[in-house]
Amino acid sequence: MENDGKARGYQHSTRNSGLALVGREAETAEIVRRVGTDRSHSDVLILTGDPGAGKSTLLDIAADRARSAGGRVLRAVGSESEAHLGFAGLHQMLRPVLGAAEGLPSRQRAALRAVLGLDECAEAPDTMILGLAVLTLLSDLAEAAPLLVVVDDAQWIDRGSLDALSFVARRMDSEPVTLLLGVRTAAVLPGFDKGYERLELGPLDSAAANRLLDRQPAPPTGRTRVRILEEAAGNPLALVELAHATAVRNPERSSVEGPLPVTDRLERIFAGHAANLPEPTRRILLLLASADAADAQAAAMGLPEADDTAWEPADRAGLVRQDGTRIVFRHPLIRSAVYHAASFEERRQAHLALAELLRKEPDRRAWHLAAATVRPDQDVSAALQQTADRARRRGGFAAAAAAQERAAELSPRREDRARLLAEAAASAVFTGQLGWVEHLAAAVHECTDDPELRGRAALATGRLMSLGPHHTAAFALLMRVADEAANARSPLVLDALAAAAVVRYYSGEESQQRQIQSLLSGMPDDAAGAALHAWVMAVSDPGGAGASLAPVLPELIAEAKGDAQRLTALAIVAWLLDQTTLAARTFDEAFDQWQAHGPLPDGLGCAAGWTRLEQGRWAEARSVAADIAAMASSAGLDHAEACAQALDATVVALLGDPAAARRLAERALSLVDPLESRSVAVFARRALGMAAVAEGDYDTAYTQFRSAFTDDGDPVHYHVSYTVLAEFAAAAVRRGRQEHAAQLLERSAQRLGTGMSARLAALIARGRALLADPEHAEPFFQAALAQPGGEQWPFERAQTRLDYGEWLRRQRRIAEARPLLSGALETFQRLGARPWAERAQAELRAAGIETTDVAPSAFTELSPQQQQIVRLAARGLTNREIGEKLFLSPRTVGSHLYRVFPNLALSRGGVSEA
C-alpha cells in the first residue's frame, strides 16, 4: 500500500533517547545482565515505577540489547482500551510468530488458534492447554536463539493474556526465555504479585535530576530550574517535559500553580504540545489515540492525509515514534493527553472512523461503536453480545463479562438489560473479582423484579464468595437463593443447594446441614438432576448418604461419560464416600476430557489431590496442590489457597520433612478463620500432627489430633475429623491416655453407625487394636486388615501392618511378625515415607532380620514433578507427550531427565534405581 511505504519512510526523533539512563545506571546494568547470552535458565523480572519513571525506556534498552546479542524479541504493550478485548495482548505478542505455532501438538495448536480468533470453537479452550501452547511455542522459538518477551504497561493487558503469561512464568525452567514486565507501582498484576523479583524505579535523587536537566537542549536555569525540580519530584519524564515546555513557551505559562499529581501535569503539557500542531496532524493523532495497539496500523493508514508530511510535526514535537512499520506514541501519557484534550464529538467521530476501518475485525469494531454511542442502541448492543459470545468460547471470561455489561448499558429494553447483566455476573465469577460480581448482581436487582434473573446473579456472587474466607455470609446468600427458587418452583434450587453444600463442607457447620436437608427432602425425583442431587447429599452428609449412593455411583459415572464437569463432580462424590479407586479412575477420565470453565479452582477442587494422596500417588497430589495454590493466590481466594497448602503440608509431613510441613500448615491456618473453615483447620491440624509423629513428638501429635474433636468428643468437622482416629489412638498410647482416647473412639464409632465406609471401619479397628489390652488386640488388627479394598489406601494399610507386626513381635510370634513388617517397610520405602520406613526397619531388626540403614531411594529423592516425568518416560512417552500431560515444555522435560539420569538407570520403557 502507498501509505504503508510512507509509514516505513518515517523517521522518529531521538531527542530524549537518554531519558532513563541518567540516574538509572544500576538498573540499566541489571537489565543488560538479564538479557545476556546465558542459555542455561529462564528469568522473570517485573519493573515497577510511576508513569514517567523510565520503565518503557529500560524495556527498549533490553530489547535492543537482546537483538544485538542475536536473540529474538516478542513484545506487547497494554492500553486501557485494550484491557477488555479477550487475548488481545497475547495476539499482539505472538502475531509475528504465528507460523511457528503450526508445529504445536494438535490440542495446543487448536486452543491457541481459538483464543486468537483464528478458528471457531464450540467450547471454551482448556486454559491449561492454552498456557501450555504458549509455553511450548516460546520454548520452541528459544531453541534457535535466546528469547526475550517484553510486556509494557502490563496493568492494562487483558486478563486472559495475563493468565496465560502467568502460567508460562510458573513453568519456565531451563528455557532460555526472559520475561520482563513493566507495571505501574500501585497496579495489581494478578498472577505476578508474589514470588517474582521486582526492580523498583523510584524518583531520581537531586544530583541525577540536575544531570538530566543539564543534558536537555535548553537546560533551564535560575528560578525556572528550581520550580521544575520541585514539580517533577524526581520523575525523569516530568523533568524532561517540563524543561522542554519552558523552552518553547512563556515560562510563566508553563509554571503550574499549586501541587498537582505528576500525571495530570504531564497530560496538560502533552495536550499543550498537540494543540499547536496543524489540523491534519491533530486529526491523525486523535485517531491514533482512539485506537488500541492492534488498531494502530489501521489508524495510521486510515486517512488520506496520513503521510509523512502530516506526521512530521508530531515527530518534531516528540509525541510519536516509529516502531518497525508502525507509528506509536512515545509514551502512554501522550496518548491519554491527546485523547482527553479532544471534545467528546471529536472522539466520537474518531471511533466511528475506526469502526469503519475495522469492519473485518468485528470485536474491535463493536467496542469502537460502543465508545461512539451515548444512548441505547440495539444494533451496537447486539454486536457487543456477539463479541461476548466469541470471548467466552475462547475462554476470555473477563472480556465476555465486560462486553455483556456494556451491551446491557446500551440495550433499549429493560428485560434485556437485566438478562445481560446476569450473564455478565456469571462470566465475571471466573475472573475472581468479587467486587465486580457483586456490582453486577446489584445492577440486576435494580433492573428487574424477575426472580430467576435475580437468583442467577445472586448465585454467581455466592459461588465466588465460597472460595473466600467468609463462609457464613456465602451460605446465607446461597440458601436465600435456594429458598426463593423453591418457592418459585425454579430448577435453580438444585444449583443453589449444590453451591451451598460446598460451603457446608468448608465450614463444617452442623446447622447448615439441617437447612440443606430441609429443602432437599422436598425435591421431586428427577432423572435429569440425579447427579446434582447425589452431589448435594454426599457433600453435605457423606455418612448419611453413603449407604444409598454407593451402589448407584458407578451407574451415574457411566451415564456421565464424555461430560467432564459431571465426571469431576461424581469423582468428588466417590472420594467423599471413600471409594478411592473409583474416584481416582473418574478424576483421570475427567481430566483427559476437561474443557476448562475458567482459571479458578472448582468447589472441592483439592479432592483430586486428596484422592491421589490416599492412593499413594503423592507426587501427583503435590502437583494438584501447587496448581490450585498458584491459581487461588493470583485470584486472591484465601480459602482455596489454604486448602491446597493443607494438602501439600500433609504430603510433606508423610515424606519426612516436618519443618516444611509446619510452614505449609501454618500458612493454611493463617489464611482462614477456623470457625468459618473447619475443614481446612482440621486438615491443617492433621498435617501438624503427622509432622510431630515424623519427629517422634507424640505430645504435640496428641494435642493436634485431639483438636479435631470438641471437648465433648464430637467431630469438629463431620468428614475430616474421623480420618485422625487411628493416629489419635496411637499418640494416646504413647502418652498413657488410652482411656480417654477409647471413649472418644467409641463415641465416634457409634455416631458413624453401620453405614461407615470400609476405610473408616479399618481406621477404627486399628485404633481399637492399639488401645486394647494386649491379650485382646489381635482380633481388631485382623479386622482392620480384612476390610475389603484396603489396598486402596496403601499408607494406612502399611501402618496397620507395622502396628500388628510390632504387637506380634512383642508376643514373641517372630515368624508371623516378619512378613507384616517387611510388607510395611516395602510400602513405606516405595512411597518415600522415611520416618515410618525407619521405624519398620527398627522393628525388623528386633525381629532378627538385619537390614541396612534406611536410605531414600534415588527415585523418592526426586521432586514430585521429576517423579511424574520419570514414570511417564518409563511408559515410553516422548518429551512432547510428557509435557502435554504435565503442562510443561518439552525442553523442561528433557532437562529434568538429563538431571536425574546420573541417579537412575532410565530408559524409555523401564525405570530402575541405580
Side-chain angles (χ1 to χ4, degrees):
M1 292 174 58
E2 181 181 356
N3 279 344
D4 190 36
K6 292 177 180 178
R8 284 194 293 268
Y10 167 78
Q11 295 297 319
H12 70 282
S13 168
T14 59
R15 174 171 59 86
N16 292 320
S17 60
L19 172 62
L21 297 178
V22 177
R24 301 289 189 215
E25 291 79 8
E27 293 89 342
T28 302
E30 177 65 12
I31 287 291
V32 168
R33 183 185 70 80
R34 299 272 181 162
V35 296
T37 57
D38 183 2
R39 294 179 53 85
S40 63
H41 71 287
S42 57
D43 200 2
V44 179
L45 181 66
I46 302 172
L47 277 69
T48 65
D50 292 332
K55 301 184 297 296
S56 298
T57 304
L58 275 175
L59 293 175
D60 286 343
I61 290 171
D64 291 343
R65 170 72 177 182
R67 291 191 188 99
S68 66
R72 184 171 214 158
V73 179
L74 298 178
R75 300 194 69 156
V77 181
S79 66
E80 288 179 276
S81 65
E82 198 173 44
H84 51 246
L85 286 169
F87 301 103
L90 208 58
H91 190 278
Q92 191 185 153
M93 183 181 82
L94 298 180
R95 184 167 44 189
V97 293
L98 285 178
E102 294 305 308
L104 292 174
S106 58
R107 283 206 307 166
Q108 297 178 37
R109 182 176 64 252
L112 185 60
R113 289 184 61 84
V115 301
L116 297 182
L118 302 175
D119 291 332
E120 288 295 323
C121 54
E123 293 183 309
D126 187 325
T127 54
M128 299 281 278
I129 292 294
L130 170 63
L132 179 60
V134 178
L135 175 62
T136 305
L137 177 57
L138 297 184
S139 180
D140 288 350
L141 292 170
E143 287 288 341
L147 178 66
L148 172 65
V149 179
V150 175
V151 181
D152 200 0
D153 277 321
Q155 72 277 357
W156 290 327
I157 292 290
D158 66 275
R159 182 61 184 269
S161 298
L162 205 57
D163 286 340
L165 286 172
S166 174
F167 178 99
V168 169
R170 292 197 305 270
R171 285 167 172 78
M172 288 196 307
D173 184 9
S174 57
E175 284 82 13
V177 178
T178 299
L179 174 60
L180 300 180
L181 298 100
V183 61
R184 292 189 177 182
T185 299
V188 176
L189 202 60
F192 291 94
D193 54 343
K194 300 175 185 175
Y196 297 104
E197 196 171 346
R198 289 177 172 253
L199 185 60
E200 174 69 31
L201 304 184
L204 299 182
D205 60 26
S206 177
N210 276 290
R211 288 203 312 274
L212 183 56
L213 288 180
D214 288 339
R215 292 194 180 188
Q216 300 314 301
T221 59
R223 291 182 61 191
T224 300
R225 188 183 188 99
V226 171
R227 178 63 167 159
I228 290 173
L229 289 168
E230 289 176 351
E231 290 292 325
N235 184 284
L237 187 60
L239 287 162
V240 170
E241 293 304 329
L242 289 170
H244 180 62
T246 60
V248 298
R249 298 184 185 182
N250 184 323
E252 292 302 318
R253 286 185 61 199
S254 67
S255 179
V256 182
E257 296 300 329
L260 291 174
V262 169
T263 299
D264 290 346
R265 288 198 297 269
L266 292 178
E267 286 187 351
R268 291 191 179 194
I269 291 168
F270 292 137
H273 291 343
N276 297 322
L277 296 175
E279 174 63 20
T281 303
R282 285 193 286 114
R283 287 183 63 197
I284 59 174
L285 277 179
L286 179 56
L287 197 66
L288 190 62
S290 303
D292 61 35
D295 303 340
Q297 190 69 17
M301 301 301 110
L303 295 178
E305 63 268 37
D307 56 14
D308 283 356
T309 303
W311 287 114
E312 282 172 2
D315 167 36
R316 289 194 299 271
L319 299 177
V320 295
R321 63 181 173 85
Q322 188 164 353
D323 181 13
T325 61
R326 298 186 309 152
I327 297 170
V328 297
F329 286 107
R330 193 169 49 78
H331 192 279
L333 290 177
I334 303 174
R335 177 178 183 270
S336 177
V338 169
Y339 185 79
H340 290 291
S343 68
F344 172 77
E345 182 57 28
E346 289 173 326
R347 294 198 300 268
R348 194 177 78 84
Q349 290 300 323
H351 283 296
L352 288 173
L354 285 167
E356 183 63 27
L357 288 168
L358 295 166
R359 282 192 168 275
K360 294 184 179 179
E361 297 281 347
D363 294 337
R364 289 185 165 87
R365 179 176 183 271
W367 277 108
H368 284 297
L369 288 173
T373 305
V374 293
R375 57 181 60 88
D377 187 308
Q378 183 58 45
D379 291 339
V380 178
S381 178
L384 284 168
Q385 291 175 55
Q386 293 169 3
T387 287
D389 290 341
R390 285 188 290 267
R392 190 170 50 248
R393 288 197 299 271
R394 297 196 299 266
F397 294 96
Q404 287 161 335
E405 184 176 17
R406 183 65 175 132
E409 293 170 356
L410 295 177
S411 179
R413 300 177 59 195
R414 185 184 180 89
E415 56 269 33
D416 288 339
R417 289 200 297 274
R419 173 183 56 80
L420 288 166
L421 287 167
E423 291 175 1
S427 297
V429 166
F430 298 108
T431 70
Q433 299 177 46
L434 180 58
W436 190 11
V437 177
E438 289 175 329
H439 166 76
L440 291 166
V444 173
H445 199 273
E446 292 177 4
C447 194
T448 184
D449 294 326
D450 185 337
E452 182 77 12
L453 291 176
R454 284 184 166 190
R456 283 165 53 192
L459 178 59
T461 306
R463 280 175 169 159
L464 188 51
M465 285 179 67
S466 71
L467 293 173
H470 303 301
H471 292 130
T472 301
F475 185 83
L477 174 59
L478 289 167
M479 287 306 297
R480 190 186 77 225
V481 174
D483 281 329
E484 292 173 355
N487 292 334
R489 300 186 180 278
S490 165
L492 199 65
V493 61
L494 259 184
D495 293 315
L497 284 176
V502 173
V503 180
R504 144 73 172 161
Y505 186 89
Y506 288 155
S507 72
E509 173 57 51
E510 284 302 312
S511 64
Q512 294 178 355
Q513 162 59 13
R514 292 191 290 273
Q515 294 180 62
I516 291 172
Q517 188 58 40
S518 174
L519 267 185
L520 193 63
S521 61
M523 296 288 296
D525 291 334
D526 180 4
L532 205 53
H533 198 279
W535 163 270
V536 176
M537 291 173 59
V539 172
S540 59
D541 184 19
S548 60
L549 275 182
V552 302
L553 190 55
E555 182 181 349
L556 289 173
I557 290 172
E559 291 171 356
K561 190 174 183 63
D563 186 335
Q565 196 168 18
R566 285 177 65 199
L567 284 171
T568 300
L570 291 169
I572 293 171
V573 170
W575 168 69
L576 288 163
L577 300 184
D578 285 327
Q579 296 193 25
T580 304
T581 300
L582 180 62
R585 186 167 63 243
T586 310
F587 274 126
D588 290 342
E589 183 180 353
F591 179 82
D592 288 340
Q593 303 173 13
W594 182 247
Q595 290 294 313
H597 291 267
L600 303 184
D602 253 350
L604 296 180
C606 275
W610 289 114
T611 298
R612 286 160 172 80
L613 182 150
E614 291 159 11
Q615 203 181 29
R617 296 159 64 179
W618 290 358
E620 293 174 60
R622 295 201 70 191
S623 293
V624 171
D627 284 340
I628 291 179
M631 288 187 290
S633 176
S634 67
L637 302 173
D638 288 349
H639 178 86
E641 181 185 352
C643 291
Q645 301 288 13
L647 167 60
D648 203 27
T650 306
V651 184
V652 170
L654 297 179
L655 290 169
D657 189 349
R662 280 193 294 272
R663 286 195 299 272
L664 290 163
E666 287 162 3
R667 168 66 178 164
L669 290 170
S670 73
L671 289 167
V672 298
D673 178 344
L675 296 180
E676 291 261 4
S677 302
R678 291 177 180 86
S679 60
V680 167
V682 178
F683 273 133
R685 295 292 179 191
R686 187 178 76 172
L688 290 170
M690 297 306 292
V693 171
E695 291 182 311
D697 179 3
Y698 290 97
D699 285 341
T700 299
Y702 178 90
T703 301
Q704 297 293 352
F705 295 139
R706 180 63 183 82
S707 71
F709 296 86
T710 67
D711 292 342
D712 295 332
D714 294 329
V716 169
H717 190 273
Y718 61 94
H719 177 244
V720 188
S721 289
Y722 294 124
T723 65
V724 310
L725 284 169
E727 294 300 334
F728 173 59
V733 169
R734 301 273 183 162
R735 284 196 61 191
R737 298 291 303 273
Q738 291 95 319
E739 183 177 352
H740 175 72
Q743 291 173 354
L744 192 151
L745 183 75
E746 294 308 322
R747 181 185 177 95
S748 296
Q750 185 177 11
R751 190 181 185 103
L752 285 166
T754 58
M756 73 176 74
S757 69
R759 179 190 177 203
L760 288 180
L763 292 175
I764 288 174
R766 178 188 167 215
R768 284 170 170 162
L770 291 168
L771 294 168
D773 292 334
E775 62 270 22
H776 301 135
E778 187 165 24
F780 297 120
F781 280 127
Q782 291 172 340
L785 292 175
Q787 286 296 327
E791 296 301 333
Q792 294 179 85
W793 314 290
F795 179 76
E796 292 169 4
R797 174 146 289 205
Q799 286 179 296
T800 303
R801 286 182 174 134
L802 175 58
D803 291 335
Y804 189 15
E806 183 179 17
W807 181 87
L808 287 168
R809 182 187 64 76
R810 290 177 178 174
Q811 300 300 309
R812 301 186 183 281
R813 294 161 61 180
I814 305 300
E816 296 172 77
R818 286 171 177 169
L820 287 167
L821 295 173
S822 296
L825 177 61
E826 185 279 328
T827 298
F828 293 141
Q829 288 181 321
R830 173 171 55 83
L831 295 175
R834 191 180 309 176
W836 287 266
E838 290 172 349
R839 183 181 151 203
Q841 184 192 43
E843 287 296 326
L844 275 169
R845 284 176 176 165
I849 297 179
E850 287 298 324
T851 61
T852 58
D853 289 339
V854 175
S857 69
F859 182 75
T860 58
E861 282 290 275
L862 302 179
S863 71
Q865 190 177 81
Q866 288 171 335
Q867 289 183 29
Q868 289 180 280
I869 290 171
V870 167
R871 285 195 180 100
L872 292 171
R875 287 166 48 189
L877 274 68
T878 66
N879 289 0
R880 194 167 283 259
E881 290 169 336
I882 295 170
E884 187 152 18
K885 281 189 172 293
L886 301 183
F887 300 104
L888 300 169
S889 73
R891 185 187 181 97
T892 293
V893 173
S895 175
H896 278 301
L897 289 174
Y898 178 80
R899 288 200 294 268
V900 305
F901 189 85
N903 299 321
L904 296 174
L906 173 62
S907 65
R908 300 293 186 183
V911 178
S912 62
E913 293 172 21

